[in-house]
Amino acid sequence: MSSSNRSRVTIDVDGTRYVDDVEPRTLLVHHLREHLGKVGTVVGCDTSNCGACTVLMGGPDQPQRSVKSCSVLAVQADGTGVTTVEGLAGPNGELHAVQQAFHELHALQCGFCTPGMIMSAVDLLRDNPDPTEEEVREGLSGNLCRCTGYQNIVRAVRSAAASLRAQAETTMEVAA
């Protein structure tokens, strides 16, 4: 394809700014994986039904929200910030509370759905820091897992919520 049929996009992914020329039809999930090497974002169904490709995306003045990156064109992400599952880890590589809880509570089997589940859970906990079991199940309803019965996933999300609340309390005590 000639360069005249490409569009320039600027996307901040996991804290790094990328400027690329993309075909207008390129899905964000394919851009992340094939051009930026963010292979933790999984291609599941390519129809936005399974949620395996979920990332967080937001504009300069908007909070990042979970989106299914197989239903977003890379050109639609121009000017946004995107966080992938690889971008959740802290500066020294420490796992995000949701990642840690998934690991500790065995909230995965084959692992295929795990990145999308984690990203959706992060978004859920941003809005609801103390969800009930039912609220977790509703919050993750756009993500499918074919291996588990979701019990350990729900337990992990609720455990991560407790960890994040404790971290917030500690931060407030230190600031006081």
Side-chain angles (χ1 to χ4, degrees):
M1 179 171 254
S2 73
S3 62
S4 64
N5 293 336
R6 298 174 80 76
S7 297
R8 175 142 304 172
V9 296
T10 302
I11 308 170
D12 292 333
V13 180
D14 298 337
T16 301
R17 176 159 288 177
Y18 295 92
V19 178
D20 294 301
D21 293 325
V22 299
E23 293 182 36
R25 65 182 179 174
T26 302
L27 293 173
L28 180 59
V29 67
H30 295 299
H31 182 65
L32 292 170
R33 290 179 59 83
E34 297 165 13
H35 298 284
L36 305 183
K38 301 294 183 175
V39 296
T41 303
V42 179
V43 177
C45 63
D46 262 340
T47 61
S48 75
N49 288 318
C50 74
C53 66
T54 302
V55 297
L56 301 177
M57 185 175 92
D61 299 324
Q62 305 165 333
Q64 291 190 341
R65 308 306 303 186
S66 61
V67 298
K68 295 177 180 177
S69 61
C70 75
S71 66
V72 176
L73 296 169
V75 294
Q76 291 174 300
D78 185 34
T80 68
V82 173
T83 302
T84 69
V85 72
E86 292 102 330
L88 287 180
N92 297 320
E94 66 273 4
L95 295 178
H96 183 280
V98 176
Q99 292 170 310
Q100 188 68 38
F102 267 62
H103 172 73
E104 290 175 359
L105 296 174
H106 310 287
L108 55 97
Q109 283 186 16
C110 80
F112 196 79
C113 69
T114 304
M117 287 281 186
I118 288 172
M119 300 310 286
S120 291
V122 168
D123 191 28
L124 167 68
L125 296 178
R126 183 176 296 134
D127 290 339
N128 184 351
D130 192 11
T132 65
E133 180 176 328
E134 184 177 312
E135 290 168 331
V136 171
R137 289 180 182 278
E138 182 179 323
L140 299 180
S141 64
N143 297 75
L144 301 178
C145 177
R146 294 186 175 135
C147 299
T148 70
Y150 295 93
Q151 285 83 347
N152 287 352
I153 293 170
V154 172
R155 282 182 43 228
V157 174
R158 296 197 70 216
S159 175
S163 294
L164 290 168
R165 288 192 312 274
Q167 287 174 7
E169 288 174 17
T170 301
T171 301
M172 287 191 311
E173 289 173 5
V174 170

